Amino acid sequence: MQQRENWGSKVGFILAAAGSAVGLGNIWKFPYIAGENGGAAFIFIYLICIAIIGLPVLIAEVLLGRTTQRNPVGAFRKLSNSKIWVSVGGLGVIAGFVILSFYGVVAGWSFGYIIESIKGTFFEFSKVGDSGAYFTSLTSNITWIVGYLAIFMSLTMLIVYFGVQKGIERASKIMMPLLIVILLILMIRGLTMEGAGKGIDFLLKPDWSHITPGAVLIALGHAFFTLSLGMGAMMTYGSYMSKKDNIPSAAVQIVFLDTLVALIAGIAIFTAVFATGQSPDVGPGLIFHTLPVVFTKMSGGYVFSILFFILLTIAALTSAISLLEVVIAYFVDERGWKRHNAVIVFGIVTFLVGIPSALSFNVMSGFKIFGLNFFDFVDFLASNVLLPLGGLLISIFVAYIWGFDKALLNLKQGAENLFDNYPRVVFFWKIFLKYFAPVLIFLVLLDSTGILSSIFK
Ligand code: TRP
């Protein structure tokens, strides 16, 4: 058997895992859900969800990977003899396919928007109606939408093709610092705009009236999605980690980077949105409809629009490679495939599965599953069903099936100092993983099935 790959350094792992976490979720989704749910108050709830659910589950996932040195299917197989748990790993691999297929479509738009900004398109929109119509004209164009999906998937495949150290780790070490630099430039631009203060108020002054149970569940679900939890991506990345590394400290750094990027993206976007008199609560169109108007109105908009869409594309790319890697690790570990062959075959398969999602914006827009078009359906299935279900089962597995005490013993490897100095960590990880995580994630899941039943009606 070939020697299994591993990370070249701890920093390499942290940047790759933070790259997985930082994605469209942070820069596209977080600002618009915060915008729709009232800003500051929502952000506060979100931070709590990240701390009490996101962090403990992230630690559990990375630990499962590191302990077993396997992909999700192999990880469950090593720790339990039951077929049911092995199929939970299988569910993760399938979720990887499904998420990547629609994620690639949105990432493709982002890539396409880099080209549009270079062409100077985002200098022409005085109102959101016009930029929205332009967006619709692009996404109705099959060549445009499928073409950029193909380009984005090829980039993803190229990186994963070169393997863990030479591909994923090296790409993350280049792209993550670049991402931070671009983000800081955009934040400074936003903050120096006249009227930026209103955006800051929106992000800092809580309006509690917006906080409904529904908003709390959105925050919880997003904490999950943004940390790439629930389908074994972090498990797979953890499986390339050395037993000498400190998992809790790595997890805190990943969570910190992910949260920082979401907040800075929020500042960059809302200062500019308010300064140009646009509204924050327009939903998913915030990036692709509202921002082109913002760029038209701001001085230097040409350069900043190019930078912004490069930022969004980099963020999407470092996440997409983690999704593809889950699938590849499975075929390499469990089925004995060569990495290169697996990347080519399953990269292309994912692209093909992505085509109906891309076509949902044009020729297949009338095709409905449970009342949703194909794109919305796979998004819903993955984000609202598969991920929470996976997260629920992973936390139950670690806390009760594998067993908290065994898990803790493994977690202590590489983190001896932390546990000697702060014995309380054990207590917190225990109550959050054993009680809070399963119960709260179950509620998120129940909420989605509530939506399901209304679709079935
Ligand atoms: N975390 C990424 C984002 O915020 C998305 C993502 C990448 C993801 N890999 C994942 C989500 C695995 C869930 C599971 O955009």
Side-chain angles (χ1 to χ4, degrees):
M1 208 180 138
Q2 311 154 288
Q3 168 82 28
R4 204 163 183 278
E5 294 180 86
N6 52 23
W7 303 111
S9 62
K10 188 179 171 203
V11 179
F13 164 71
I14 291 175
L15 289 179
S20 169
V22 172
L24 295 171
N26 301 60
I27 296 167
W28 170 59
K29 201 165 184 187
F30 174 75
Y32 89 70
I33 56 176
E36 280 181 326
N37 290 288
F42 178 82
I43 295 174
F44 180 74
I45 305 278
Y46 165 79
L47 292 177
I48 295 178
C49 294
I50 288 279
I52 67 171
I53 304 297
L55 183 61
V57 177
L58 174 62
I59 292 175
E61 258 203 44
V62 174
L63 177 67
L64 275 177
R66 188 188 68 169
T67 305
T68 57
Q69 305 276 302
R70 284 287 175 282
N71 66 91
V73 171
F76 282 106
R77 185 173 290 146
K78 246 188 160 173
L79 296 175
S80 123
N81 295 320
S82 132
K83 283 222 172 69
I84 299 182
W85 287 105
V86 175
S87 56
V88 173
L91 205 67
V93 176
I94 293 169
F97 263 122
V98 173
I99 298 174
L100 185 53
S101 73
F102 73 85
Y103 201 82
V105 173
V106 180
W109 300 344
S110 173
F111 196 98
Y113 266 53
I114 300 179
I115 309 299
E116 292 300 318
S117 8
I118 293 174
K119 291 199 311 208
T121 310
F122 303 137
F123 259 178
E124 300 163 7
F125 300 115
S126 54
K127 47 182 205 308
V128 173
D130 299 344
S131 53
Y134 191 74
F135 173 80
T136 309
S137 76
L138 290 177
T139 50
S140 338
N141 180 335
I142 298 178
T143 321
W144 190 86
I145 197 166
V146 177
Y148 280 116
L149 170 65
I151 292 174
F152 180 81
M153 279 307 303
S154 313
L155 288 174
T156 308
M157 288 163 67
L158 188 71
I159 296 172
V160 177
Y161 186 87
F162 285 106
V164 175
Q165 269 188 33
K166 294 210 186 84
I168 299 174
E169 184 167 351
R170 193 166 55 173
S172 308
K173 279 185 168 166
I174 299 169
M175 289 196 284
M176 291 308 285
L178 187 63
L179 178 142
I180 301 282
V181 171
I182 299 179
L183 198 59
L184 289 176
I185 296 174
L186 293 171
M187 178 183 75
I188 293 168
R189 178 66 193 111
L191 286 172
T192 51
M193 287 174 77
E194 209 171 309
K198 276 185 266 160
I200 297 296
D201 284 352
F202 180 71
L203 290 168
L204 291 183
K205 288 206 184 129
D207 170 1
W208 297 103
S209 68
H210 277 88
I211 298 304
T212 57
V216 175
L217 289 172
I218 292 176
L220 203 53
H222 188 64
F224 237 77
F225 184 82
T226 190
L227 291 175
S228 304
L229 298 175
M231 48 76 61
M234 290 300 183
M235 216 185 285
T236 306
Y237 273 12
S239 76
Y240 303 122
M241 207 180 177
S242 144
K243 304 236 161 153
K244 290 193 214 80
D245 287 337
N246 182 330
I247 295 182
S249 108
V252 168
Q253 294 177 62
I254 295 163
V255 167
F256 176 77
L257 279 171
D258 183 75
T259 308
L260 193 70
V261 170
L263 294 178
I264 299 181
I267 296 174
I269 292 171
F270 287 119
T271 47
V273 163
F274 277 91
T276 52
Q278 301 302 306
S279 98
D281 53 356
V282 293
L286 183 65
I287 296 288
F288 294 102
H289 300 182
T290 307
L291 286 191
V293 177
V294 171
F295 293 130
T296 303
K297 297 193 173 193
M298 83 173 19
S299 60
Y302 179 73
V303 175
F304 293 112
S305 65
I306 300 174
L307 283 178
F308 181 83
F309 288 107
I310 292 179
L311 169 79
L312 190 61
T313 307
I314 293 179
L317 192 55
T318 53
S319 299
I321 57 182
S322 77
L323 288 162
L324 184 58
E325 180 60 25
V326 175
V327 179
I328 301 310
Y330 167 75
F331 281 96
V332 171
D333 290 347
E334 303 299 308
R335 307 258 157 180
W337 282 54
K338 291 233 165 17
R339 167 175 290 271
H340 292 178
N341 298 340
V343 169
I344 292 169
V345 170
F346 294 100
I348 293 175
V349 171
T350 314
F351 164 70
L352 295 176
V353 179
I355 290 179
S357 284
L359 298 186
S360 304
F361 294 88
N362 37 71
V363 285
M364 275 176 61
S365 60
F367 175 82
K368 302 277 183 200
I369 312 173
F370 302 128
L372 299 171
N373 70 33
F374 191 85
F375 176 94
D376 291 334
F377 176 74
V378 278
D379 179 9
F380 178 81
L381 180 70
S383 314
N384 300 41
V385 182
L386 293 179
L387 291 182
L389 186 63
L392 178 66
L393 294 170
I394 287 170
S395 53
I396 291 178
F397 182 82
V398 173
Y400 300 99
I401 309 291
W402 185 24
F404 183 80
D405 296 332
K406 268 193 215 143
L408 186 63
L409 217 58
N410 282 284
L411 187 66
K412 283 187 176 162
Q413 288 181 25
E416 291 82 2
N417 285 345
L418 176 86
F419 285 98
D420 289 344
N421 296 337
Y422 303 97
R424 282 258 174 94
V425 173
V426 175
F427 170 76
F428 284 114
W429 195 47
K430 189 169 188 166
I431 55 163
F432 289 144
L433 193 67
K434 280 185 100 158
Y435 309 111
F436 279 64
V439 172
L440 291 175
I441 301 170
F442 183 70
L443 289 180
V444 173
L445 201 59
L446 217 57
D447 180 55
S448 346
T449 47
I451 299 171
L452 259 185
S453 58
S454 67
I455 294 167
F456 278 121
K457 247 193 291 180

